Amino acid sequence: MEMKDFSLEGKVALVTGASYGIGFAIASGMAKAGATIVFNDIKQELVDKGIAAYKEAGIEAHGYVCDVTDEDAVQAMVKQIAEEVGVIDILVNNAGIIKRIPMCEMTAAQFRQVVDVDLNAPFIVSKAVIPAMIEKGHGKIINICSMMSELGRETVSAYAAAKGGLKMLTRNIASEYGEYNIQCNGIGPGYIETPQTAPLRERQPDGSRHPFDQFIIAKTPAARWGTTDDLVGPAVFLASDASNFVNGHVLYVDGGILAYIGKQPQ
Ligand code: NAP
Ligand code: GCO
């Protein structure tokens, strides 16, 4: 093994939904490892903000407006990226939404919307990039899974169903395309400080920590929420040649949550 095996020099990486949050951090880390960064978002204003944020970080990123649930739009975006930037070597299926609603109060449309973004879209985008990866003789697909790929909890039925499915889609892409030197793995973040989890960390009127915030601290051996930076090293590893024999694996970056029964209440 050579240290250059961890380099992403000469590679084109598409990170979906990466104007901010986990996607932005992973894309920024991949850029530091040498990758050319391409990202998308639904709204032009967010793409513009994202490009400015990457520029501020010294990264010349390429941004595209695209709803990852729209197969025609995704196919067109992947074709445009190939023409304007280069064939995609690394795909990070990061775009995602969550709706925290008790299952019996959730409409079928709300359930479908979460599954559409969190599960159907990774299928759509992976399907769009795999043919050129086969032609090129290599490819890396990283699906951003979740604690909810393994665990359930109240109010996140659609999200857990989607992220559980995403774990199996990861394994199936690995199974079906491994022979073409394409590796598909997942990253399962623990509880990370991003806009998506902000409601779970809001200070209470009396200034105390949110009950869920306290719960997560007790459930995490590291006794802290994760930061987006905690995910960068694992993502660069799974995007690099250093992981060419790692396939169908979900790497949980959770501070130990899945290994721990939780701190006994004092
Ligand atoms: P976030 O802050 O809500 O960012 C999600 C990104 O996805 C946003 O840029 C959003 O764009 C984009 N997006 C949503 N729907 C899209 C669509 N249809 N097409 C294109 N882009 C779309 O979320 P995050 O916390 O960074 O999470 C990123 C990923 O990590 C998600 O898959 C999430 O499930 C997963 N995850 C998060 C945590 C955590 O603790 N934060 C833990 C485990 C897994 P808009 O702003 O335009 O909606
Ligand atoms: C929730 C949180 C989690 C995190 C993440 C944990 O409401 O439970 O949003 O779902 O986003 O997926 O890994």
Side-chain angles (χ1 to χ4, degrees):
M1 191 280 289
E2 306 286 336
M3 286 315 290
K4 68 175 174 54
D5 291 343
F6 288 89
S7 168
L8 304 182
E9 284 294 343
K11 298 288 177 56
V12 174
L14 167 62
V15 184
T16 64
S19 298
Y20 56 86
I22 287 173
F24 179 86
I26 287 177
S28 301
M30 287 186 173
K32 285 180 189 154
T36 297
I37 297 305
V38 184
F39 74 101
N40 74 293
D41 217 307
I42 305 177
K43 308 175 193 106
Q44 185 62 54
E45 63 184 293
L46 272 172
V47 169
D48 295 344
K49 277 187 183 170
I51 287 171
Y54 284 110
K55 203 171 188 71
E56 200 174 317
I59 299 164
E60 291 299 326
H62 305 261
Y64 294 83
V65 177
C66 180
D67 177 346
V68 289
T69 66
D70 178 341
E71 184 162 28
D72 291 342
V74 167
Q75 290 280 347
M77 175 180 69
V78 168
K79 185 171 180 288
Q80 190 179 356
I81 292 168
E83 289 161 358
E84 296 176 355
V85 183
V87 171
I88 294 163
D89 301 287
I90 301 160
L91 166 64
V92 181
N93 283 308
N94 166 77
I97 62 171
I98 192 167
K99 290 185 185 299
R100 300 183 182 98
I101 304 167
M103 195 185 92
C104 291
E105 296 168 28
M106 181 179 268
T107 65
Q110 288 169 323
F111 189 96
R112 286 196 192 94
Q113 187 188 0
V114 174
V115 172
D116 211 18
V117 178
D118 294 2
L119 178 57
N120 296 344
F123 156 75
I124 286 170
V125 187
S126 300
K127 179 184 163 190
V129 304
I130 284 172
M133 287 180 172
I134 291 174
E135 205 173 310
K136 211 170 180 183
H138 66 256
K140 297 281 188 179
I141 298 175
I142 300 169
N143 293 321
I144 306 300
C145 297
S146 161
M147 293 288 93
M148 276 60 222
S149 297
E150 302 294 342
L151 304 169
R153 86 173 183 86
E154 300 81 1
T155 76
V156 295
S157 58
Y159 185 83
K163 292 297 188 179
L166 186 56
K167 174 176 73 172
M168 285 315 300
L169 178 64
T170 300
R171 291 181 179 167
N172 214 77
I173 292 171
S175 305
E176 196 163 353
Y177 295 100
E179 67 179 286
Y180 302 104
N181 191 28
I182 293 172
Q183 292 83 47
C184 180
N185 293 286
I187 285 178
Y191 279 80
I192 311 296
E193 293 173 344
T194 73
Q196 190 247 51
T197 57
L200 306 175
R201 291 178 280 109
E202 273 169 8
R203 286 282 170 176
Q204 302 302 285
D206 64 3
S208 62
R209 300 179 83 134
H210 190 294
F212 195 88
D213 182 354
Q214 298 175 51
F215 170 66
I216 290 302
I217 299 296
K219 280 290 286 179
T220 309
R224 66 174 175 89
W225 285 68
T227 67
T228 55
D229 284 349
D230 289 320
L231 301 168
V232 173
V236 169
F237 165 66
L238 290 176
S240 73
D241 289 340
S243 62
N244 282 352
F245 206 55
V246 177
N247 209 5
H249 182 76
V250 178
L251 177 54
Y252 287 98
V253 185
D254 65 354
I257 293 176
L258 287 179
Y260 187 36
I261 195 170
K263 188 174 287 302
Q264 179 183 340
Q266 302 303 322

